[in-house]
């Protein structure tokens, strides 16, 4: 999957999360979702590797489950940078749940693209 396809998929996932969980995930509109997706991609590229490296012992002890907390932190930081009035979560737990759903959607889409490449 190309970068722009992943950007669009994350944007659509943010919009869907706002529709499915209206009291807990807030996205003002398409532009806010696109901006949040772009900021998240930058944070995942620049900040996430450092956090992953620093939390490696804790991730190892929790058998990888701490990576969901790191993803939740990335989404929380994204909401702070984009602005709480445009994009946000009601709590850190909802950011972790959104990160789990976002990871699942990206995994399904990536697997689908791998299947297409095999043909």
């Amino acid at each position: 999957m190309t970068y722009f396809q992943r950007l669009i998929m994350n944007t659509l996932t943010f919009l869907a999360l706002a529709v499915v969980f209206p009291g807990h995930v807030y996205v003002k509109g398409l532009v806010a979702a696109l901006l949040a997706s772009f900021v998240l991609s930058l944070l995942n590229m620049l900040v996430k590797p450092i956090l992953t490296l620093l939390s490696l012992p804790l991730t190892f002890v929790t058998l990888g489950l701490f990576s969901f907390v790191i993803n939740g932190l990335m989404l929380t930081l994204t909401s702070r940078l984009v602005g709480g009035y445009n994009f946000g979560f009601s709590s850190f737990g909802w950011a972790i749940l959104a990160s789990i759903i976002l990871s699942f959607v990206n995994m399904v889409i990536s697997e689908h693209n791998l299947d297409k490449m095999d043909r």
Side-chain angles (χ1 to χ4, degrees):
M1 181 182 316
T2 67
Y3 173 76
F4 293 108
Q5 288 173 334
R6 188 172 304 272
L7 198 68
I8 297 299
M9 185 49 62
N10 287 343
T11 301
L12 293 175
T13 305
F14 285 147
L15 290 171
L17 285 171
V19 169
V20 174
F21 304 114
H24 303 289
V25 179
Y26 179 72
V27 179
K28 189 172 185 178
L30 181 64
V31 175
L34 187 61
L35 180 63
S37 182
F38 179 71
V39 168
L40 181 64
S41 71
L42 288 177
L43 288 174
N44 281 340
M45 187 173 45
L46 300 173
V47 177
K48 187 175 178 182
I50 297 167
L51 283 178
T52 302
L53 186 63
L54 291 175
S55 67
L56 196 59
L58 192 55
T59 303
F60 183 72
V61 168
T62 61
L63 302 174
L65 293 177
F66 192 73
S67 62
F68 291 124
V69 175
I70 293 172
N71 289 337
L73 283 171
M74 292 295 99
L75 282 176
T76 302
L77 188 56
T78 299
S79 71
R80 302 274 189 230
L81 292 174
V82 171
Y85 299 110
N86 296 323
F87 176 80
F89 303 95
S90 63
S91 68
F92 184 65
W94 281 100
I96 291 176
L97 180 64
S99 75
I100 292 170
I101 294 170
L102 199 62
S103 297
F104 178 75
V105 168
N106 282 321
M107 179 191 68
V108 168
I109 297 301
S110 295
E111 289 292 323
H112 178 64
N113 280 342
L114 288 176
D115 288 343
K116 287 172 86 175
M117 290 174 59
D118 288 341
R119 293 182 196 161

